[in-house]
Amino acid sequence: MPQSDLERLTAPVRRTTWRFYAVVAPLAAIVALGAYAYYVQFTTGLGVTGMRDYVSWGLYISNFVFFIGVSHAGTLISAILRVSGAEWRKPITRMAESITVIAISVGALFPIIDLGHPDRILNLLFYGRIQSAVLWDFISIATYLTGSLLYLYLPLIPDLAAMREAKVGGRFRRALYGFLSMKWRDHPGQRWRLKRGIAIMAVLIIPIAVSVHTVVSWIFGMTLRVGWHSTIFGPYFVVGAILSGIATIILAMAVFRKVYHLEKWIKPLHFRNLGLMMLALDLILVYFTLSEYLTAAYGSESADTAWLNALAFGPYAYLFWGMVVGGLLAPVFILALTRVKSVAWLVVAAVCVNVGMWFERLLIVVPAMATPQMPVNWASYSPTWVEWSITAGAIAGFVLLYAVFSKLFPLVSVWEVSEETPEAKPTPRPVGEEVTP
């Protein structure tokens, strides 16, 4: 790899300008606001939230499902592309894999926040029943986080060793690079073992990732409640998760490509390929959504009818139609009309998808709990400033951690990209031309 390319790829790690701190400062302030809101909830109790007896899950569980979905961006997409031998994936895999680890780390906090007091999680460990989907969820997410960390770490080792040899950063960072690089010397044997380990992890992580969101869906699907008890929830959740994950990768690629001047490596080809994947998954999710609601409507059971009326014409109508029109149909038209060739419109479609998927997670959780299944009045739920502040803090924390990651590690896998640099090959001779000795 030319020295100029190496310096460009590692420039964000080597130098930090005032613009970075200008971005980080407001993000840190929002995270601090979220931490204060959690302190208020911790000291006062869950009474400061809008959750009550009937609607006992709200923004927190919706955020949990959303972030776990976003986490499918990296590990699953990266693993599928690695296994399928797609060489164009190399410049974007690390961005995707880091999204996974950060999204799981943020999303996994929400069930603990939802408990009120975090020590209640010990009840799950000590008294959890194996028949409970909640315990399955805990185990699957812990496994997914461990596997994703390992899957992110292995391809980082050669670049960490390069940072160590180049003595990048101060004493702490040099010690960090030295410890994490594990005496990597780029010997042929080391490289062979590393590639073998990455290949094994790529195969293992795919079923783990699929199982995680399937188990998350089972928390709802195995509950006898209107709007939840459905066999389609497993694939419905997985497809939605991959869709929001791809949208998040596209947004990250667009931002970092512009800010860190990575145009040479993150090309229109990457946006187009991911855009086509997003279009296909969006169409599949439209099909699943139609199947889910049409099945409930055709039966005309009283609880289903009340639930659907609340979604389509009641207090949740603006979220429901925002999800259907803005989050599902609009991206399809944008991607189809632009033929997935415009990066700017692709970014617009990705924003629509992520906002629509967040609406969808909220619509799965809240209206189903508010719908009466016994002769009682409708329940209501309005999030308080505590819940909104913690939600904003989590989103800001996700972006902040990603920005810090970009300052500690190269966002593009340098050693993998350098492997694809074509070597000089002799020009083919015309047929019949004599070889000059």
Side-chain angles (χ1 to χ4, degrees), residues 11 14 72 82 101 109 124 150 156 200 216 271 297 311 337 347 389 412 414 436:
R14 295 172 182 273
H72 280 60
R82 278 186 193 277
V101 173
L109 293 176
L124 181 64
L150 188 58
L156 263 174
I200 292 172
V216 170
F271 287 97
L311 287 176
L337 293 175
V347 168
S389 299
V412 175
V414 177
T436 305

Side-chain angles (χ1 to χ4, degrees), residues 168-371:
V168 173
R171 182 179 301 176
F172 169 76
R173 289 173 63 184
R174 289 202 294 271
L176 178 68
Y177 296 144
F179 175 74
L180 293 177
S181 59
M182 298 180 64
K183 300 180 180 179
W184 175 267
R185 292 289 182 269
D186 202 19
H187 296 153
Q190 285 182 323
R191 189 167 281 232
W192 181 84
R193 287 192 291 273
L194 177 69
K195 290 186 175 181
R196 188 173 179 80
I198 294 172
I200 292 172
M201 282 304 304
V203 173
L204 291 177
I205 206 70
I206 292 174
I208 293 174
V210 172
S211 69
V212 167
H213 224 57
T214 303
V215 172
V216 170
S217 77
W218 285 348
I219 293 178
F220 302 96
M222 292 185 176
T223 304
L224 294 175
R225 176 175 289 278
V226 60
W228 286 1
H229 193 56
S230 169
T231 58
I232 205 173
F233 262 30
Y236 188 54
F237 270 52
V238 172
V239 170
I242 300 174
L243 176 64
S244 60
I246 290 177
T248 306
I249 296 178
I250 290 172
L251 294 176
M253 283 167 45
V255 171
F256 287 120
R257 178 178 185 250
K258 180 72 174 179
V259 173
Y260 292 152
H261 306 291
L262 300 176
E263 291 85 354
K264 183 174 180 179
W265 297 274
I266 302 175
K267 302 174 182 176
L269 168 73
H270 299 102
F271 287 97
R272 179 171 172 76
N273 287 350
L274 289 179
L276 289 172
M277 293 169 68
M278 190 165 74
L279 175 60
L281 289 164
D282 197 351
L283 289 170
I284 295 172
L285 196 64
V286 169
Y287 167 69
F288 280 159
T289 303
L290 179 65
S291 300
E292 169 70 8
Y293 292 114
L294 185 61
T295 304
Y298 197 79
S300 299
E301 292 189 2
S302 57
D304 284 337
T305 302
W307 169 64
L308 289 172
N309 281 331
L311 287 176
F313 311 108
Y316 308 103
Y318 67 97
L319 286 173
F320 179 75
W321 293 113
M323 182 266 291
V324 172
V325 177
L328 293 178
L329 299 181
V332 169
F333 284 106
I334 290 173
L335 296 173
L337 293 175
T338 60
R339 299 182 182 180
V340 203
K341 290 183 178 180
S342 167
V343 174
W345 279 111
L346 196 55
V347 168
V348 172
V351 171
C352 292
V353 164
N354 265 336
V355 173
M357 291 310 299
W358 189 84
F359 284 0
E360 190 227 22
R361 304 323 192 190
L362 189 63
L363 287 168
I364 288 175
V365 174
V366 175
M369 300 198 82
T371 303

Side-chain angles (χ1 to χ4, degrees), residues 379-398:
S380 62
Y381 168 71
S382 297
T384 65
W385 73 270
V386 171
E387 293 165 279
W388 284 120
S389 299
I390 291 176
T391 299
I395 296 171
F398 173 81

Side-chain angles (χ1 to χ4, degrees), residues 3-50:
Q3 185 65 24
S4 59
D5 288 353
L6 181 62
E7 290 182 357
R8 171 53 58 196
L9 287 175
T10 58
V13 181
R14 295 172 182 273
R15 292 186 295 276
T16 301
T17 66
W18 63 268
R19 295 184 181 85
F20 176 77
Y21 296 106
V23 172
V24 163
L27 291 173
I30 298 172
V31 172
L33 173 65
Y36 172 71
Y38 179 68
Y39 169 77
V40 172
Q41 175 183 303
F42 180 77
T43 54
T44 312
L46 286 172
V48 297
T49 70

Side-chain angles (χ1 to χ4, degrees), residues 19-227:
R19 295 184 181 85
F20 176 77
Y21 296 106
V23 172
V24 163
L27 291 173
I30 298 172
V31 172
L33 173 65
Y36 172 71
Y38 179 68
Y39 169 77
V40 172
Q41 175 183 303
F42 180 77
T43 54
T44 312
L46 286 172
V48 297
T49 70
M51 296 183 290
R52 294 296 182 265
D53 289 343
Y54 290 109
V55 183
S56 54
W57 286 352
L59 281 188
Y60 297 155
I61 298 302
S62 304
N63 292 334
F64 162 69
V65 179
F66 175 75
F67 274 108
I68 295 300
V70 168
S71 74
H72 280 60
T75 302
L76 187 58
I77 300 299
S78 168
I80 290 173
L81 295 179
R82 278 186 193 277
V83 171
S84 62
E87 292 297 312
W88 59 269
R89 61 163 174 82
K90 290 182 177 178
I92 65 172
T93 49
R94 185 164 298 157
M95 286 187 196
E97 292 156 7
S98 54
I99 285 175
T100 293
V101 173
I102 296 170
I104 299 176
S105 303
V106 174
L109 293 176
F110 277 105
I112 300 174
I113 295 172
D114 188 75
L115 289 173
H117 276 264
D119 54 292
R120 290 171 180 161
I121 194 70
L122 296 176
N123 293 330
L124 181 64
L125 297 177
F126 294 143
Y127 309 111
R129 296 183 308 132
I130 197 63
Q131 302 96 318
S132 171
V134 176
L135 183 60
W136 306 347
D137 204 30
F138 178 82
I139 295 171
S140 63
I141 288 176
T143 306
Y144 187 38
L145 177 59
T146 305
S148 298
L149 273 171
L150 188 58
Y151 190 58
L152 171 66
Y153 170 62
L154 287 178
L156 263 174
I157 292 176
D159 289 350
L160 290 170
M163 297 291 108
R164 177 197 65 201
E165 297 301 320
K167 294 182 171 53
V168 173
R171 182 179 301 176
F172 169 76
R173 289 173 63 184
R174 289 202 294 271
L176 178 68
Y177 296 144
F179 175 74
L180 293 177
S181 59
M182 298 180 64
K183 300 180 180 179
W184 175 267
R185 292 289 182 269
D186 202 19
H187 296 153
Q190 285 182 323
R191 189 167 281 232
W192 181 84
R193 287 192 291 273
L194 177 69
K195 290 186 175 181
R196 188 173 179 80
I198 294 172
I200 292 172
M201 282 304 304
V203 173
L204 291 177
I205 206 70
I206 292 174
I208 293 174
V210 172
S211 69
V212 167
H213 224 57
T214 303
V215 172
V216 170
S217 77
W218 285 348
I219 293 178
F220 302 96
M222 292 185 176
T223 304
L224 294 175
R225 176 175 289 278
V226 60

Side-chain angles (χ1 to χ4, degrees), residues 410-431:
L411 278 175
V412 175
S413 180
V414 177
W415 71 278
E416 287 188 282
V417 170
S418 63
E419 278 189 339
E420 73 175 1
T421 304
E423 297 181 0
K425 296 181 179 178
T427 305
R429 295 186 304 276
V431 176

